[in-house]
Amino acid sequence: MPPKALDYEQLNENVKKVQYAVRGELYLRASELQKEGKKIIFTNVGNPHALGQKPLTFPRQVVALCQAPFLLDDPNVGLIFPADAIAKAKHYLSLTSGGLGAYSDSRGLPGVRKEVAEFIERRDGYPSDPELIFLTDGASKGVMQILNTIIRGAGDGVLVPVPQYPLYSAAISLFGGSLVPYYLEETANWGLDVNNLRQSVAQARSKGITVRAMVIINPGNPTGQCLSEANLREILSFCFHENLVLLGDEVYQQNIYQDERPFISSRKVLLDMGPPISKEVQLVSFHTVSKGYWGECGQRGGYFEMTNIPPKSVEEIYKVASISLSPNVPAQIFMGLMVNPLKPGDISYEQYVRESKGILESLRRRARLMTDGFNSCRNVVCNFTEGAMYSFPQIRLPPRAIEAAKRAGKVPDVFYCLKLLEATGISTVPGSGFGQKEGLFHLRTTILPAEEDMPEIMASFKKFNDEFMEQYEDHRGYSRM
Amino acid sequence: MPPKALDYEQLNENVKKVQYAVRGELYLRASELQKEGKKIIFTNVGNPHALGQKPLTFPRQVVALCQAPFLLDDPNVGLIFPADAIAKAKHYLSLTSGGLGAYSDSRGLPGVRKEVAEFIERRDGYPSDPELIFLTDGASKGVMQILNTIIRGAGDGVLVPVPQYPLYSAAISLFGGSLVPYYLEETANWGLDVNNLRQSVAQARSKGITVRAMVIINPGNPTGQCLSEANLREILSFCFHENLVLLGDEVYQQNIYQDERPFISSRKVLLDMGPPISKEVQLVSFHTVSKGYWGECGQRGGYFEMTNIPPKSVEEIYKVASISLSPNVPAQIFMGLMVNPLKPGDISYEQYVRESKGILESLRRRARLMTDGFNSCRNVVCNFTEGAMYSFPQIRLPPRAIEAAKRAGKVPDVFYCLKLLEATGISTVPGSGFGQKEGLFHLRTTILPAEEDMPEIMASFKKFNDEFMEQYEDHRGYSRM
């Protein structure tokens, strides 16, 4: 038989080039082990509810009522739902045209986009236009759509931090563009040095690549750093001079674990800078209901906001969004609830504050526990997780471990992470999945295991690691930073 | 300033080429008129709940409980939820790992995929493998992913029926492939003639296009025809001999309004045919929770099932699905509930049957009302809607109307539909958005307006149409079929 279109050899080459380590070899092996009955701690993906985080009660009450609007007429509804949840459900149902079962506008419900715009205005101090806000099935879908709009071919480059969240490398491969890496400085707590950006752009140009856009992830994934206002100004100024669209991945804006650098949005800094920069730099910012203290990953809700994008381009983005009709409506309601939360005096306010503070404070403690745990291990150094949901320790693999990995046909950090998984059930992602400097090795783990489990997990990690190092060290020298 | 990457002129040309009429000029104008206070009847998109169809009660109860799992411990829960809904909610929660807020596997929850496989086996009489079933955020996302996997460039062609649902033309443009049209026969109730397929493939080849896949929509959208088993055998045999992947869009499989040709799946016919065809033809079939008597469009739930696709290709498809992490989990539960419905004896069974039969029988009556209504209008002829959710009447526009349209700078059927919208508030989609033979004009409308509103809507249509024809007829001759 001749080859067929869905035979492997015949597939779109861009599809085959895609790599996505967060659900790659390690995850697949962990899933196998789980099937075989081994207890797996899935720290490969920022998926808080999978590790026991409870959903916030109030938004769940509201969305449950929206799913079952017939309950609003039930005389007993007040026995199990508080009055403010009932009122909010009525509010959000009034924003739909036909409830949760009807497609919304392809950009999302106008009423929810208005609430997002009001949130952005309160946050940044500048008005925001709901017509420039598109709701999406999670932030990833929005990132993919914008990259698909920008990338015309292999000559188009996108600046991406290294280490990076592999959504970016995967989407750039899928759309046939070129990833232009810029390195974050591990020794400066994963800081972003604008001189590195200049070098990266110059190198890409020398290869004939037109750099068209730049991605920042703030707070950083997998690196956890929070960008300072001064740093953001440098970045925006760089984008202005180099004529780059800035994609601001700000999905972790609620996840901040230090007080020196609170979250500040790219958009606020851009507008603070005034003309010409504030009028010229094209910015797309992303947010989600999956992170923060919400962690509603499975609902798939997100938005992007466009600044300085011409109306004709916005129309094109709208048109392409229309092909898949509408983002899911329940998650749009979660987004509305997230950006327009309860206020003091509301019946459910105290419970809401107690739950969200509880999650956030625990995450802060876990960030510290994890960093300290890693730094207590032989040949492991780890920057503090200033924000987001991850630790990204450097693992200084002894040469003999690197040789053993080569013999096993594995990248050294994959080798290490597989051994860790088999020994402890801890499912991490090797640093090579995010990019790292040649000869250095890392892994990414979320800080999401339940706080009470954390001491045991870190002890189990330390035991594995220190034995691994003992086994492979030849007491002459290690790979070094 | 130099041009910027998100300026219109600078965008990915494939993005600009996309056309998607279902939410195109007519829809945008209808939305404007609605803002201005005009009452609009949105029949542009198959969105039943937006036109007053009530959701089925039982699945909504189950998903509401899954959203609010804390209710399962509430002593009062039995006052407003039936016991079988409570049991089903517990069942589906047990299939998740962390409830609706946790990402599932990127292919969907294993337990729900198993229920889908069991449904397919009951339907077709052949076992189905859950590992070859991927849940998606609506069927459209699945179609897009498969087309993206197949299309390597402009030299790759996909056979698409004309008229077609513009998801296909839009996605093929976006991924840079070539649409190869094959014409459905309006005079044979939109039947599919395999000779037309051969001609289309020959023509495409003469232009240097490799035809790699074929799309069928059964029941048809916008054309409403149901394919016979004999016809499906011809199609599969054609795919075998021409080495084409078959994409079977079967989202309307529950929407059948005649008894001569019940729905039969492509997969059943394929497997019935035996080797070599049953072992060789690559088939991907699509289904959804948005259509049928469910109409849960806003939830965005769907699946695709792969037959004869090699494991290495399935892995690639899995990898790309992983980039956006997981389909939304609430809609996965709707899918489980749809494929694994209540059984006689269950507490809620009678209500469930009453509701679903009520919707389906009413749709059948509306299909008839609408066809008859169109056929009572001057210069309008309309095939009966055998299945799906649409009428696609031919509008025989008089030459003077065509001239008037040209003077207004509009495609003639767009001109007609805009006038219809302004006069009556009925928001349809011009036939040119789906493709039609040169010189013929159509429109698509859903059969979804509430049954009690139907006589008034059809009267309003007839009044507009007959006056329009009166105005533009010169009593010498019309455009003819």
Side-chain angles (χ1 to χ4, degrees):
Chain A
M1 296 296 299
K4 295 187 270 287
L6 281 173
D7 288 350
Y8 177 78
E9 295 69 24
Q10 296 289 310
L11 304 183
N12 177 352
E13 287 298 326
N14 289 340
V15 163
K16 289 195 259 184
K17 273 183 213 147
V18 165
Q19 296 197 0
Y20 189 70
V22 171
R23 297 230 165 162
E25 178 176 359
L26 261 290
Y27 169 74
L28 296 175
R29 180 71 188 131
S31 302
E32 273 175 29
L33 289 171
Q34 190 182 39
K35 267 195 189 162
E36 293 166 13
K38 189 172 173 76
K39 195 193 159 204
I40 302 295
I41 303 150
F42 281 103
T43 67
N44 60 303
V45 53
N47 195 7
H49 294 200
L51 292 171
Q53 183 178 308
K54 291 267 172 301
L56 300 174
T57 305
F58 182 75
R60 290 297 194 97
Q61 289 169 326
V62 174
V63 175
L65 284 165
C66 291
Q67 284 286 12
F70 39 81
L71 292 183
L72 297 170
D73 303 323
D74 190 308
N76 289 321
V77 69
L79 294 176
I80 58 175
F81 289 99
D84 50 0
I86 294 169
K88 273 281 187 194
K90 288 181 181 167
H91 163 71
Y92 284 109
L93 284 173
S94 79
L95 300 183
T96 69
S97 41
L100 303 194
Y103 296 125
S104 70
D105 187 278
S106 305
R107 299 165 296 185
L109 296 164
V112 172
R113 284 152 54 215
K114 186 163 162 277
E115 293 184 353
V116 172
E118 288 160 359
F119 154 75
I120 293 173
E121 177 167 355
R122 285 193 307 276
R123 186 194 65 187
D124 294 345
Y126 296 97
S128 164
D129 180 355
E131 300 292 302
L132 301 176
I133 293 164
F134 283 29
L135 305 182
T136 52
D137 287 307
S140 302
K141 291 281 188 202
V143 167
M144 292 176 79
Q145 203 200 331
I146 297 299
L147 286 172
N148 193 16
T149 309
I150 291 174
I151 295 171
R152 300 165 303 181
D156 282 349
V158 180
L159 273 167
V160 172
V162 172
Q164 54 115 18
Y165 175 51
L167 161 66
Y168 294 96
S169 49
I172 292 167
S173 292
L174 188 62
F175 303 132
S178 292
L179 186 148
V180 179
Y182 65 91
Y183 288 89
L184 301 175
E185 284 300 329
E186 186 164 13
T187 50
N189 212 23
W190 296 115
L192 190 167
D193 182 341
V194 177
N195 292 320
N196 288 351
L197 290 177
R198 289 205 183 89
Q199 277 179 20
S200 296
V201 170
Q203 262 186 23
R205 290 218 174 108
S206 73
K207 294 181 197 157
I209 290 170
T210 312
V211 183
R212 286 163 68 78
M214 170 173 176
V215 173
I216 55 173
I217 311 176
N218 180 35
N221 175 3
T223 41
Q225 83 287 5
C226 296
L227 296 177
S228 68
E229 183 172 350
N231 211 181
L232 282 165
R233 293 174 78 96
E234 288 181 307
I235 293 164
L236 284 158
S237 180
F238 177 77
C239 288
F240 174 71
H241 290 291
E242 300 290 341
N243 202 27
L244 305 178
V245 176
L246 184 64
L247 306 189
D249 179 338
E250 301 178 336
V251 299
Y252 297 101
Q253 60 189 268
Q254 288 177 329
N255 297 95
I256 306 288
Y257 312 123
Q258 41 72 41
D259 302 315
E260 298 75 43
R261 278 187 303 289
F263 172 75
I264 178 166
S265 78
S266 308
R267 181 168 173 279
K268 176 174 168 49
V269 176
L270 174 63
L271 298 181
D272 281 350
M273 288 173 87
I277 292 187
S278 64
K279 298 280 185 202
E280 294 292 341
V281 173
Q282 297 184 331
L283 168 68
V284 187
S285 308
F286 301 89
H287 200 7
T288 185
V289 301
S290 301
K291 309 300 171 189
Y293 38 87
W294 288 64
E296 291 281 8
C297 301
Q299 313 280 357
R300 313 307 296 120
Y303 77 75
F304 59 86
E305 188 205 17
M306 296 172 278
T307 307
N308 295 328
I309 315 295
K312 272 188 82 175
S313 300
V314 174
E315 272 175 38
E316 293 295 303
I317 294 167
Y318 184 13
K319 181 184 71 181
V320 171
S322 297
I323 307 175
S324 36
L325 294 159
S326 85
N328 89 77
V329 179
Q332 297 184 39
I333 310 237
F334 276 105
M335 182 57 83
L337 288 159
M338 185 177 93
V339 297
N340 186 15
L342 288 166
K343 291 172 187 59
D346 291 334
I347 302 164
S348 303
Y349 177 74
E350 278 184 31
Q351 184 188 12
Y352 178 81
V353 169
R354 192 170 60 246
E355 291 175 350
S356 29
K357 272 184 76 171
I359 292 166
L360 213 50
E361 285 171 2
S362 167
L363 282 172
R364 188 184 267 243
R365 289 190 297 269
R366 283 180 269 172
R368 175 53 66 196
L369 277 171
M370 208 157 220
T371 310
D372 291 349
F374 283 129
N375 282 322
S376 79
C377 295
R378 195 156 157 180
N379 297 349
V380 177
V381 283
C382 186
N383 283 319
F384 176 61
T385 299
E386 299 176 346
M389 290 186 171
Y390 311 97
S391 269
F392 197 66
Q394 184 182 151
I395 314 291
R396 297 181 173 174
L397 294 176
R400 282 181 49 224
I402 295 172
E403 286 154 26
K406 278 186 191 148
R407 279 194 304 277
K410 300 284 178 198
V411 176
D413 54 11
V414 173
F415 178 78
Y416 176 91
C417 290
L418 278 170
K419 294 256 180 210
L420 171 67
L421 172 67
E422 307 273 348
T424 64
I426 303 173
S427 167
T428 60
V429 187
S432 47
F434 305 90
Q436 52 199 352
K437 286 188 178 162
E438 182 73 28
L440 297 188
F441 303 104
H442 300 79
L443 62 80
R444 187 189 83 165
T445 166
T446 69
I447 59 168
L448 297 175
E451 196 173 343
E452 62 271 26
D453 299 338
M454 200 62 104
E456 194 186 323
I457 290 171
M458 294 315 292
S460 154
F461 177 86
K462 181 174 170 58
K463 179 167 180 293
F464 159 78
N465 175 79
D466 292 4
E467 286 175 9
F468 178 97
M469 295 301 171
E470 181 62 34
Q471 182 186 347
Y472 287 105
E473 271 181 358
D474 61 2
H475 306 282
R476 275 174 292 148
Y478 330 136
S479 78
R480 45 188 287 279
M481 181 155 170
Chain B
M1 295 296 298
K4 295 187 269 284
L6 280 173
D7 288 350
Y8 177 78
E9 295 69 23
Q10 296 288 309
L11 303 183
N12 177 352
E13 287 298 326
N14 289 339
V15 163
K16 289 194 259 183
K17 273 184 212 147
V18 165
Q19 296 198 0
Y20 189 71
V22 171
R23 298 232 163 161
E25 179 177 0
L26 261 289
Y27 170 74
L28 296 175
R29 180 68 188 132
S31 303
E32 273 175 28
L33 288 171
Q34 189 182 39
K35 266 195 193 165
E36 292 165 15
K38 189 172 173 74
K39 194 194 160 203
I40 302 296
I41 303 150
F42 281 103
T43 68
N44 59 303
V45 54
N47 195 6
H49 295 200
L51 291 171
Q53 182 179 308
K54 291 268 172 298
L56 300 174
T57 305
F58 182 74
R60 289 299 194 95
Q61 288 170 327
V62 174
V63 175
L65 284 166
C66 291
Q67 284 286 12
F70 39 82
L71 292 183
L72 296 168
D73 304 323
D74 190 309
N76 288 322
V77 68
L79 294 176
I80 57 174
F81 288 98
D84 51 0
I86 295 170
K88 273 282 187 191
K90 287 181 181 165
H91 163 69
Y92 283 110
L93 284 172
S94 79
L95 301 183
T96 68
S97 41
L100 303 194
Y103 296 125
S104 70
D105 186 279
S106 305
R107 299 165 296 184
L109 296 164
V112 172
R113 285 154 51 215
K114 187 162 161 280
E115 294 184 352
V116 173
E118 289 160 358
F119 154 75
I120 293 173
E121 177 166 356
R122 285 194 307 276
R123 186 193 65 187
D124 294 345
Y126 295 97
S128 164
D129 180 355
E131 299 293 302
L132 301 175
I133 293 165
F134 283 28
L135 304 182
T136 52
D137 288 308
S140 302
K141 291 279 187 203
V143 168
M144 292 176 79
Q145 204 202 329
I146 297 299
L147 286 172
N148 193 17
T149 308
I150 292 174
I151 295 171
R152 300 164 303 181
D156 282 348
V158 180
L159 274 168
V160 172
V162 172
Q164 55 113 18
Y165 175 52
L167 161 65
Y168 294 96
S169 49
I172 292 167
S173 293
L174 188 62
F175 302 133
S178 292
L179 186 148
V180 180
Y182 66 91
Y183 288 90
L184 301 175
E185 284 300 327
E186 186 164 14
T187 50
N189 212 23
W190 296 115
L192 190 167
D193 182 342
V194 177
N195 293 318
N196 288 350
L197 289 177
R198 289 206 183 88
Q199 277 178 20
S200 296
V201 170
Q203 262 186 24
R205 289 217 177 110
S206 73
K207 293 181 196 155
I209 290 170
T210 311
V211 183
R212 287 163 67 79
M214 170 173 177
V215 173
I216 55 171
I217 312 176
N218 179 34
N221 175 3
T223 42
Q225 84 286 5
C226 295
L227 296 177
S228 67
E229 184 173 349
N231 211 180
L232 283 165
R233 292 174 80 96
E234 288 180 308
I235 293 164
L236 284 158
S237 181
F238 177 78
C239 288
F240 175 69
H241 289 293
E242 300 291 343
N243 203 26
L244 305 178
V245 176
L246 184 64
L247 306 189
D249 179 338
E250 301 178 335
V251 298
Y252 297 101
Q253 59 188 267
Q254 290 178 328
N255 297 95
I256 307 288
Y257 312 123
Q258 41 72 41
D259 302 315
E260 297 76 43
R261 280 189 299 289
F263 172 74
I264 178 164
S265 78
S266 309
R267 181 168 173 280
K268 175 175 170 46
V269 177
L270 174 64
L271 299 182
D272 281 350
M273 289 173 86
I277 293 188
S278 64
K279 297 279 185 205
E280 293 291 342
V281 173
Q282 297 183 332
L283 169 68
V284 187
S285 309
F286 301 89
H287 200 6
T288 184
V289 301
S290 301
K291 309 300 171 185
Y293 38 87
W294 288 64
E296 290 282 9
C297 301
Q299 314 280 357
R300 312 309 295 118
Y303 76 75
F304 59 86
E305 187 205 17
M306 296 172 277
T307 307
N308 296 328
I309 314 295
K312 271 188 82 176
S313 300
V314 174
E315 270 175 39
E316 293 296 303
I317 294 167
Y318 184 14
K319 181 185 71 182
V320 171
S322 298
I323 307 174
S324 37
L325 295 159
S326 87
N328 88 76
V329 179
Q332 298 184 40
I333 310 236
F334 277 104
M335 182 57 83
L337 289 160
M338 185 176 91
V339 296
N340 186 14
L342 288 167
K343 291 172 186 59
D346 291 336
I347 302 165
S348 302
Y349 177 74
E350 279 183 33
Q351 183 188 14
Y352 178 80
V353 170
R354 193 169 60 246
E355 291 175 350
S356 31
K357 271 185 77 172
I359 292 167
L360 213 50
E361 285 170 2
S362 167
L363 282 172
R364 188 185 265 244
R365 288 190 296 270
R366 283 181 268 172
R368 175 52 67 195
L369 277 172
M370 207 156 220
T371 309
D372 292 349
F374 282 129
N375 283 321
S376 78
C377 296
R378 196 157 157 177
N379 298 349
V380 177
V381 283
C382 186
N383 283 318
F384 176 60
T385 299
E386 299 177 345
M389 289 185 172
Y390 311 97
S391 270
F392 196 66
Q394 185 183 149
I395 315 291
R396 298 181 173 174
L397 294 176
R400 283 182 47 224
I402 296 172
E403 286 154 25
K406 278 186 190 147
R407 281 196 302 277
K410 299 286 177 196
V411 176
D413 54 10
V414 173
F415 177 77
Y416 177 91
C417 290
L418 279 169
K419 294 256 179 209
L420 171 68
L421 172 67
E422 308 273 348
T424 65
I426 304 174
S427 166
T428 61
V429 187
S432 47
F434 304 90
Q436 52 199 352
K437 286 189 178 161
E438 182 73 27
L440 297 189
F441 303 104
H442 300 78
L443 61 80
R444 187 188 81 165
T445 165
T446 69
I447 60 166
L448 297 175
E451 196 173 344
E452 61 270 26
D453 299 337
M454 200 62 102
E456 192 186 323
I457 290 172
M458 293 316 291
S460 154
F461 177 85
K462 183 174 168 58
K463 180 166 180 292
F464 160 77
N465 175 78
D466 292 3
E467 286 175 9
F468 178 96
M469 295 301 168
E470 181 62 34
Q471 183 187 347
Y472 287 106
E473 272 181 359
D474 59 4
H475 305 284
R476 277 175 290 149
Y478 331 137
S479 78
R480 47 189 285 278
M481 183 156 166

